[in-house]
Amino acid sequence: MFALVLIGLLVRYSVALKPNVLMVMIDDLRPALGLYGDPDAYSPNIDKLATKSFVFTNVFAQQALCAPSRNSLLTSRRPDSLHLYDFYSYWRDSVGNFTTLPQLFKDHGYYTHSIGKIFHPGISSNYTDDSPYSWSDKPFHPQTEKYKEAKVCVTSDGTFARNVICPVIVDAQPGGTLPDLESLAAAKKFLKSYKGEKPYFLAVGFHKPHLPLKFPVEYLDYHQGEVELPVNRWRPPLLPTVAWNPWLDVKNRDDIKKLNISFPFGGMPDNVTKEIIRNYNAATSYIDSLVGSLLDEVDSNNTIIVLTSDHGWSRGEHGEFSKFSNFDVATRVPLIVHVPGLSNAEIRITQLVELVDLFPTLVDLTQVAPALEVCTKNGSNSILCTEGQSLVPIMVANARNQLNKAGGKRAVFSQYPRPGAFPSVTPDSDRPRLEDINIMGYSIRTTRYRYTEWIKFNHTTFMPDWSKVYGKELYDHLIDPLENMNLVTRSELSYVIDSMHKQLILGWRFA
Ligand SMILES: *[C@@H]1O[C@H](CO)[C@@H](O)[C@H](O)[C@H]1NC(C)=O
Ligand SMILES: *[C@@H]1O[C@H](CO)[C@@H](O)[C@H](O)[C@H]1NC(C)=O
Ligand SMILES: *[C@@H]1O[C@H](CO)[C@@H](O)[C@H](O)[C@H]1NC(C)=O
Ligand SMILES: *[C@@H]1O[C@H](CO)[C@@H](O)[C@H](O)[C@H]1NC(C)=O
Ligand SMILES: *[C@@H]1O[C@H](CO)[C@@H](O)[C@H](O)[C@H]1NC(C)=O
Ligand SMILES: *[C@@H]1O[C@H](CO)[C@@H](O)[C@H](O)[C@H]1NC(C)=O
Ligand SMILES: *[C@@H]1O[C@H](CO)[C@@H](O)[C@H](O)[C@H]1NC(C)=O
């Protein structure tokens, strides 16, 4: 069936030049977009892209932290296979010389170019965005990103601070611009001037709405209305302490620091929560307008366009902020895939999918190389394989309204590490370094349930110990889509818990 399904695409692409690929990564963007039904969002340009794309509504990151999630997406391997749960190792030097998504395209006739944040900068991409392996030329980084943490946010008394909330006047910024404006200009310049024979694989990574929420102040104009507070903005009573992320990065910024929020469980005042949501939405509208401007330069008849994010972001849900957890708010991401000739209208896909699926999907869509094999269990050998699966069969089945043939996964998986069972500042429970990791929270999500076990984990051998448990969570999405009621102590649900526990241990290969 699969081969038949692709014949249309194969013919199309073998006669003409292969399609270009544009991959847009938006840092820390949860599905707070109009097309996902968020009433406070203003995202007309991404919404417009969705009208001619596959829109995935149940997509999950493998870990809610930038570097592990990005390396996972770009190699199609899970954090456990990359041994990367923090920012401080590079897979080629630590586990294996694994081929990346852009590298495969580069090695098979594409010109690959990176702009902005695609790989996480620093050690986890060897300080080079995995050059020279992944990219045909030098990756572009905006100059003004060096002011990322600068005190440039205006306060009410006219001084400047390092805030969470940071609308700015662009001309008054150091360098007279903002990083994402520079990245947009670089991307447009590339698209206008690229005359190569080869099709391109262009990856553009925008930094916002990652903290600080620094964006041109005029985008607040779209967000003057009343902001809805999350109805579940308190720490759930049955949440194990190990599951809690104390959102230190938010608490440590000047505007929030002065609120003296107690560690680890102190709450955010409602009016500040509202302003964070408002400013997150405004920062997202800013990126949306840059995406619109970028797409104006792209021939969507001959370009596969993928827009996604590395993980979600909690905006007060469960009394938490940021990523750093296994909840849906932290792991769920937007995913929009425009395929010329295949998605002429919006096609909604509700099946469960994972970011590790993108690599094999793009290989299938372009036929740039033979379909990727699934990585063997010991993982020691193959430099080219996948720990996901191609989404093309479910895309085609959805496009043809043959949902019975869509197949797909019964479950998806995420994980998050902790240094200890109780939140700590040192080591940082939100972002523990490998040598401080003693617990791993493994999480499985089915259409109905999320089940998480926080268990002992040896950071030297990378072995989990399922017999030593620090906390368990079970949420039933049928009655509790916001994941507020941990049902793990309900004896009448022991058969569910037992079944989820077994599936969690078996893992993604059996889902
Ligand atoms: C890693 O792979 C790249 C190409 O995929 C190759 O050029 C390089 O020599 C390999 N390095 C090692 C240490 O095998
Ligand atoms: C990573 O960078 C270091 C320092 O530049 C270099 O010696 C090393 O070969 C790089 N690793 C790989 C796999 O290219
Ligand atoms: C926070 O603590 C400082 C020093 O203890 C105090 O001066 C300030 O008034 C407190 N602010 C609030 C909002 O409680
Ligand atoms: C929240 O309200 C307090 C007083 O209740 C006020 O001092 C503070 O400026 C407000 N914060 C925001 C972000 O609106
Ligand atoms: C793209 O294809 C559509 C439908 O085939 C056509 O109407 C449109 O003019 C094409 N656009 C470009 C830029 O080629
Ligand atoms: C790992 O898998 C490969 C291929 O399946 C096999 O050849 C190799 O012997 C295995 N290694 C171990 C240590 O099991
Ligand atoms: C992890 O495993 C190694 C090797 O078996 C062992 O030496 C070490 O003590 C273990 N660490 C912990 C924290 O249990």
Side-chain angles (χ1 to χ4, degrees), residues 78-119:
R78 293 165 196 265
D80 275 344
S81 301
L82 297 178
H83 293 174
L84 181 69
Y85 318 101
D86 59 14
F87 304 92
Y88 309 108
S89 68
Y90 176 49
W91 74 92
R92 293 188 196 273
D93 291 333
S94 64
V95 276
N97 195 19
F98 305 147
T99 304
T100 71
L101 166 60
Q103 180 187 359
L104 188 69
F105 277 75
K106 180 181 165 224
D107 292 349
H108 289 83
Y110 273 70
Y111 190 89
T112 63
H113 186 51
S114 171
I115 290 178
K117 185 169 170 184
I118 296 299
F119 282 98

Side-chain angles (χ1 to χ4, degrees), residues 130-174:
D130 192 43
S131 288
Y133 311 105
S134 285
W135 309 109
S136 302
D137 58 10
K138 192 170 181 285
F140 172 89
H141 287 284
Q143 289 282 326
T144 54
E145 183 60 6
K146 62 174 176 273
Y147 305 117
K148 179 166 83 154
E149 302 294 352
K151 293 195 169 211
V152 295
C153 317
V154 182
T155 65
S156 50
D157 60 14
T159 58
F160 294 94
R162 180 179 168 273
N163 285 348
V164 167
I165 296 171
C166 191
V168 297
I169 294 166
V170 173
D171 291 345
Q173 286 303 294

